[in-house]
Amino acid sequence: INEMRPQFGLVLKRNFNSNLSLGAEAGYGSVYAADANHGLPERNFVVNTDLVQANLVAEINFKKFGKFFKRNQNTPFVKTGIGMLFFAPSLNDNAEYDASEYELFWGSFTTYNFQIGAGWKWRLSYHSILSLGLQWHSTGTSYLEGFNLKDGPNPNDAYYGLRLTYTYGIF
């Protein structure tokens, strides 16, 4: 919990029927982790990467939900999407990165982003909806944290988080 960081975003979607919506979303947030929180205070690596993502998304409700289905005040849903991820890792200046062991990546980079998630949404009023879900993101890079092992496996990075969303329906 002490390593969680907020993400802020905007989602625009069109409900094609009571179960399916398609749209686009953009968000800004960060990924953070520190060796001190994982039993390695002497190494002192700190991961702090700013993320900007833009995705095309699809969302499927398991119960009829929306403008004309007031009797269903809540529904579980699944969500998937694909898009672009812009990221900028910043490395801890106080840590010692052994050049024979680590390849460092400074600056800003771009890759793809694939997401999948599930959650539950509740109607608060005619126009207001609150949802809570878990989302997992897979990236097309292995250096989201700003470094790779030179002689080790470097699989593509992924991150996940709990997402609380407020929606205002315009209809």
Side-chain angles (χ1 to χ4, degrees):
I1 298 290
N2 62 346
E3 293 185 342
M4 292 180 70
R5 298 293 186 259
Q7 178 184 17
F8 301 97
L10 178 64
V11 178
L12 299 172
K13 63 182 177 180
R14 168 103 163 88
N15 296 320
F16 288 94
N17 59 45
S18 60
N19 296 99
L20 174 68
S21 62
L22 300 174
E25 65 182 30
Y28 169 79
S30 65
V31 173
Y32 176 85
D35 276 347
N37 296 329
H38 300 278
L40 293 168
E42 64 282 348
R43 192 172 76 165
N44 199 26
F45 285 11
V46 175
V47 173
N48 192 11
T49 302
D50 290 328
L51 306 171
V52 175
Q53 54 185 326
N55 299 307
L56 298 174
V57 294
E59 189 174 284
I60 298 171
N61 298 321
F62 287 104
K63 294 191 305 187
K64 291 185 176 191
F65 189 82
K67 181 177 177 182
F68 299 112
F69 294 95
K70 294 182 201 173
R71 72 176 182 266
N72 290 338
Q73 294 295 313
N74 61 74
T75 183
F77 68 92
V78 293
K79 183 177 188 175
T80 188
I82 191 165
M84 296 296 297
L85 176 67
F86 306 94
F87 64 102
S90 60
L91 299 169
N92 182 4
D93 291 335
N94 296 328
E96 292 185 25
Y97 300 94
D98 185 353
S100 66
E101 230 180 299
Y102 299 102
E103 182 180 9
L104 303 181
F105 296 90
W106 296 86
S108 298
F109 304 96
T110 305
T111 187
Y112 71 84
N113 180 39
F114 172 74
Q115 69 178 9
I116 189 164
W120 207 280
K121 60 174 78 170
W122 299 269
R123 177 186 298 282
L124 303 176
S125 70
Y126 183 65
H127 289 282
S128 295
I129 299 167
L130 188 68
S131 65
L132 181 65
L134 185 64
Q135 285 201 340
W136 177 77
H137 296 259
S138 176
T139 70
T141 184
S142 62
Y143 51 90
L144 196 63
E145 66 281 346
F147 59 87
N148 270 341
L149 290 171
K150 282 192 174 178
D151 294 329
N154 292 297
N156 284 353
D157 293 330
Y159 60 97
Y160 62 93
L162 193 59
R163 186 179 225 187
L164 180 65
T165 307
Y166 172 78
T167 302
Y168 184 81
I170 300 172
F171 25 79

